Amino acid sequence: VEEAIKIDPAYVGSHNLKGLILNEFGKQEEARTSFEQAMRMDDKDPDFPYNIGFTYYEERNYEKALEYFLKAESLGENTVTVLSKIGNCYDILGNHPKAVEYHSKCLALDAADYGSYYNRGLAYLSMEANEEAKNDFEKALTLD
């Protein structure tokens, strides 16, 4: 990938691929540098802020992860994967109502996603909405 970047440093895909590879090797900071370069080259592609957010998520820096996941969402990346990560960040950061909102968005996209029921159940549990939590956990069990 580095050879490809030398040949064509303006090809954004090479910088993104380098970041993906580095992230797989647990080198989140170096991966982030590559994703940031890709994002500077193309600030409309939601994959790049998502990838940056994911590196922060892996490092348990949920505030920074949330910032980039929300940027990916604002660029139109409204998938269960992105919305679930946003919900998880909100839950971890203590904003349980926002977590419920995002996990509900996931379920609107895929009502058969047991993980979204489970995650929303955790947020409900943190809010002491025990009946809602129980219902979501039961639904997650029936789907898994």
Side-chain angles (χ1 to χ4, degrees):
V1 174
E2 288 174 352
E3 288 299 317
I5 291 171
K6 286 178 188 173
I7 293 168
D8 185 1
Y11 181 62
V12 70
S14 294
H15 295 280
N16 188 56
L17 180 57
K18 181 178 177 182
L20 293 171
I21 292 168
L22 288 167
N23 194 56
E24 282 297 313
F25 284 115
K27 297 180 177 187
Q28 282 81 23
E29 193 170 326
E30 291 176 55
R32 203 164 28 252
T33 300
S34 292
F35 296 139
E36 288 168 347
Q37 176 62 29
M39 196 166 77
R40 279 191 295 277
M41 297 167 74
D42 181 358
D43 62 357
K44 302 289 187 244
D45 190 322
D47 287 344
F48 308 143
Y50 173 80
N51 290 341
I52 293 168
F54 190 79
T55 65
Y56 282 118
Y57 193 87
E58 293 267 297
E59 294 175 332
R60 298 182 178 178
N61 185 341
Y62 300 109
E63 289 177 359
K64 290 297 285 184
L66 180 60
E67 174 186 335
Y68 284 96
F69 291 148
L70 288 170
K71 180 162 180 59
E73 179 193 26
S74 75
L75 291 171
E77 192 67 19
N78 296 308
T79 63
V80 170
T81 302
V82 172
L83 299 177
S84 179
K85 287 284 193 279
I86 292 171
N88 289 344
C89 287
Y90 275 127
D91 199 33
I92 291 165
L93 295 170
N95 191 338
H96 308 300
K98 282 299 261 188
V100 167
E101 176 187 330
Y102 273 89
H103 293 308
S104 295
K105 287 182 181 184
C106 292
L107 292 167
L109 292 174
D110 183 1
D113 182 39
Y114 75 91
S116 293
Y117 281 106
Y118 178 78
N119 289 333
R120 189 173 70 175
L122 290 174
Y124 277 136
L125 198 59
S126 295
M127 294 168 50
E128 297 182 8
N130 295 332
E131 192 61 33
E132 290 87 346
K134 178 181 171 242
N135 291 340
D136 276 0
F137 292 144
E138 287 175 349
K139 183 69 175 175
L141 280 172
T142 63
L143 292 171
D144 184 29

